Amino acid sequence: MLAKLKQWHGDDGGAAADVPRTVLISGSGGKAFCAGGDIVDCYRAKMGTADASITKEFFAREYLLDYQLHKMDPRYIAIWNGITMGGGVGLTWHAPIRIATDNTMYAMPETAIGFFCDVGGSYFLSHLKNDPSLGLYLGMTGHRLKGQDLL
């Protein structure tokens, strides 16, 4: 995904190529946009039971991808049909059009394991419905929201 975004922006050393007018992103299965497995790998790397470079590479790629999506032109549409948490929120939050369904479960659960709310969460949570206290609550607690709560 990152390579394609770089190609569309011309960041790969060449000219921007075949840029679509709109991009639709949706997850697959019930865990639409949900990370978690990568965090386990990072934990193992920190504990010395996996390659230590995993952590540095994971966060570098994740944040670069989130940034590329933030500055993406064409516009993109994200469909939150299922669990959308953590890194999955980072992949989709910058879409100017985000569609929640009856199946949506949204949260930033990192704080429950002692991790900070990343992927731009400090920015977008503080801008929810012009009420910073709502974002602060979600960021501090990892409280889960259903699709109807996201309207």
Side-chain angles (χ1 to χ4, degrees):
M1 188 176 198
L2 186 56
K4 183 54 79 174
L5 289 170
K6 284 183 174 186
Q7 180 184 12
W8 289 344
H9 290 129
D11 293 346
D12 62 351
D18 300 320
V19 179
R21 291 177 55 201
T22 305
V23 173
L24 175 70
I25 59 173
S26 63
S28 61
K31 293 185 175 184
F33 292 104
C34 184
D38 295 325
I39 297 301
V40 171
D41 290 339
C42 291
Y43 173 79
R44 289 182 181 144
K46 185 69 175 171
M47 299 309 293
T49 58
D51 183 4
S53 67
I54 290 171
T55 304
K56 181 180 176 184
E57 291 170 11
F58 168 73
F59 286 107
R61 290 185 61 76
E62 178 184 26
Y63 296 154
L64 184 56
L65 178 58
D66 292 340
Y67 175 70
Q68 289 287 337
L69 287 167
H70 171 71
K71 69 176 197 166
M72 187 161 104
D73 184 25
R75 296 284 183 161
Y76 73 112
I77 300 167
I79 300 177
W80 291 346
N81 186 29
I83 299 171
T84 305
M85 296 185 179
V89 173
L91 291 175
T92 58
W93 189 264
H94 299 291
I97 301 171
R98 297 176 302 275
I99 300 169
T101 71
D102 291 340
N103 300 321
T104 302
M105 174 73 68
Y106 168 95
M108 296 297 287
E110 299 89 328
T111 55
I113 61 170
F115 194 58
F116 63 95
C117 197
D118 64 340
V119 298
S122 60
Y123 174 78
F124 60 74
L125 288 174
S126 67
H127 288 80
L128 290 179
K129 292 190 177 184
N130 299 320
D131 183 0
S133 62
L134 175 60
L136 180 61
Y137 172 75
L138 294 173
M140 295 293 289
T141 65
H143 183 80
R144 295 178 181 196
L145 300 175
K146 294 183 179 177
Q148 64 189 7
D149 301 322
L150 296 167
L151 299 177

